[in-house]
Amino acid sequence: MSAADNPAHGGRCRPRARVALASLAIFGLTAGLPAALAHTGGSTGYASIIISGNTVRYSLTLSPSAVPAAVAEDLVRARSGRVDDRLLGHLRDKLALTDQGRPCEPAHGFIEAQRAEVESVTLVMDFACAATVRDLVIHDDLFDVLGPDHHTLAKVESPGVTRELAFATEAREARISLGASHETSGGAGSFLLLGVEHILTGYDHLLFLLALLLRGGRLVSLLKIITAFTLAHSVTLAVAVLGLVAIPDRLVESVIAASIVWVAMENLILREAPSQRWLVSFLFGLVHGFGFASALTPLKLPGWNLATALLGFNLGVEAGQALVVLFLLPLLVWMRGATWEPRAVRAASLGVAVVGLAWFVERLFLV
C-alpha cells in the first residue's frame, strides 16, 4: 500500500478524500437552500415619504407573500376590509421621526388596499412636527416586526426636491436636511449596501456564478466569465429600471433557474470546459440583470435620483460578487489540474442542477 492510499499517513490526503472534501466544500454552498427561497433572502417594502410644511406622510407598501406569517395574516384581513389597529400600530411604535431635535408625533393613519389583481397593501401614517420641517431624522425599527432580512426602499419628496433612501437592519436611520444644500445622509451609500446584500442573499445568482466557475478553466478564462456576466447584467439592470423593457417576473425568475440547470448540465455532459463559456455567461447575465432590477423598479424614482440609486446598487452588486469570487478562487485554484477534479466538479454540478431544477419547477408552475 502506498503512502497516498494509506489512511494513517499524515503527509498526504487520498484522492477520494480530496474529491469528497472539494465536493462538500462546494456543495455546502447549495445544500440546504430550500426551493422556496426566492430571488433574495428577505422581503422588500416600498415607502413614500412626503414632507409638506410641518407634516410628514409616511406610506409603506407591503406584499403578504413576502412578510412573516403574523403580519401577512393582518395584511390579508386588511384587503378583505377587516381592519384592526395592529398594522398601523407597527408604524406608530417602530417609526421615530424627529425634526430639529424635537419628536414628530404620529397623528392620522389609514390603510389602502390596492386593486383586486394586486395583493399589496399600503399603510399610511401622518406625523405632525412642531414646526416646518427643516432637519428630519427618520429612525426605522420595523425590522423588529418584518424580520432582519427586510429592506425598505424609500422615495422622499419635499417641495422641489426628491431623494432616495434604503433602510435595512444595519442602516436604520437617515437624515434629510431641507436647507439650501438639500443634504441627505444614507442615500447612494445605502443603495450600495443594498446591492451587496442583494447579491449575497441572491442565492440563484450565486449558484449560477458557481456553476460557471466550476469549469471555467484558467485564471484568464475566469476573468472573462466574470467580466461578461458583469457587463450583461449591468446593461439589462439599467434598461429595466429605466422602463425601456419590461418582462414578466415569472418568466425572468424561471429563466434564471433554467440558466443554473443549463450550465450545471454542461459541466456534467461536456468532456472539456467550453471555450466560449464567457458567451454563455453574457447571454444569461442579460436575464439575471432583469432579476436584479426587481429590487429598484417599483420605487419609480425620477431622472437623477434613479441614476444615483442605480449606480450605488450596481456597484454594491459588483462588490458583493467580487467577495464571492475571492472566497471561491482559492478552492478553484486548489482543484484545478488535479486528477480528482473532474469527479469533484461532477458531484458539485449535480447538486447545483438539482437545486436549479427545483427552483425552475416552483417558479414556472407553483408560484
Side-chain angles (χ1 to χ4, degrees):
M1 180 181 296
S2 67
D5 293 328
N6 185 356
H9 193 279
R12 298 178 62 183
C13 181
R14 290 184 301 174
R16 288 184 181 179
R18 290 182 178 180
V19 172
L21 180 60
S23 301
L24 285 173
I26 298 172
F27 190 71
L29 298 173
T30 65
L33 293 181
L37 279 174
H39 187 68
T40 60
S43 61
T44 301
Y46 296 92
S48 169
I49 303 172
I50 300 176
I51 303 171
S52 178
N54 70 328
T55 301
V56 179
R57 170 161 288 189
Y58 182 98
S59 305
L60 178 63
T61 300
L62 298 171
S63 172
S65 63
V67 295
V71 180
E73 292 174 3
D74 290 338
L75 292 174
V76 171
R77 280 195 293 268
R79 284 191 53 76
S80 65
R82 294 174 293 156
V83 180
D84 59 34
D85 196 46
R86 184 158 39 192
L87 288 172
L88 293 178
H90 295 323
L91 298 190
R92 293 192 191 96
D93 298 339
K94 299 301 181 180
L95 286 175
L97 276 62
T98 59
D99 175 54
Q100 303 172 70
R102 293 175 291 183
C104 302
E105 299 296 335
H108 176 61
F110 58 94
I111 296 176
E112 293 180 340
Q114 302 294 324
R115 303 184 308 275
E117 65 272 18
V118 180
E119 67 168 357
S120 58
V121 174
T122 300
L123 316 178
V124 183
M125 180 66 63
D126 289 333
F127 290 83
C129 303
T132 300
V133 175
R134 289 285 181 266
D135 187 23
L136 183 67
V137 176
I138 303 173
H139 186 87
D140 186 345
D141 282 329
L142 285 167
F143 310 97
D144 298 341
V145 176
L146 299 175
D149 292 327
H150 178 79
H151 302 84
T152 296
L153 305 186
K155 178 169 63 175
V156 183
E157 298 177 88
S158 57
V161 180
T162 300
R163 303 162 177 80
E164 67 288 338
L165 293 169
F167 293 95
T169 305
E170 64 286 343
R172 299 188 178 211
E173 191 167 284
R175 177 183 297 274
I176 304 163
S177 296
L178 302 185
S181 60
H182 298 297
E183 294 178 355
T184 300
S185 64
S190 63
F191 279 87
L192 189 147
L193 181 60
L194 178 67
V196 173
E197 293 183 355
H198 194 80
I199 187 66
L200 294 182
T201 59
Y203 305 112
D204 42 10
H205 299 301
L206 295 179
L207 219 55
F208 176 73
L209 192 61
L210 170 63
L212 283 171
L213 297 180
L214 278 173
R215 293 285 298 274
R218 298 186 179 277
L219 183 60
V220 173
S221 299
L222 295 178
L223 291 176
K224 287 181 180 179
I225 290 170
I226 296 166
T227 302
F229 184 66
T230 296
L231 291 176
H233 74 63
S234 297
V235 169
T236 48
L237 171 59
V239 166
V241 173
L242 290 171
L244 300 178
V245 177
I247 298 179
D249 288 344
R250 179 187 290 270
L251 178 59
V252 171
E253 298 298 331
S254 298
V255 174
I256 288 174
S259 72
I260 297 170
V261 179
W262 177 284
V263 177
M265 293 306 296
E266 278 191 340
N267 292 343
L268 290 168
I269 295 172
L270 299 181
R271 296 179 62 88
E272 300 292 335
S275 60
Q276 302 298 317
R277 175 147 278 192
W278 65 267
L279 183 57
V280 174
S281 174
F282 183 84
L283 293 175
F284 280 123
L286 293 173
V287 180
H288 283 246
F290 287 106
F292 289 133
S294 64
L296 292 183
T297 303
L299 203 54
K300 297 179 180 178
L301 289 168
W304 175 253
N305 303 87
L306 178 58
T308 302
L310 188 59
L311 177 61
F313 183 79
N314 203 40
L315 289 175
V317 168
E318 301 318 317
Q321 183 175 284
L323 289 174
V324 173
V325 172
L326 288 174
F327 175 79
L328 287 175
L329 199 56
L331 177 60
L332 295 174
V333 171
W334 174 59
M335 290 173 49
R336 200 67 73 221
T339 56
W340 45 266
E341 179 195 1
R343 283 172 286 169
V345 169
R346 284 196 296 271
S349 296
L350 179 60
V352 171
V354 169
V355 175
L357 182 61
W359 272 332
F360 177 76
V361 172
E362 180 201 35
R363 294 173 181 185
L364 189 60
F365 301 108
L366 302 180
V367 176

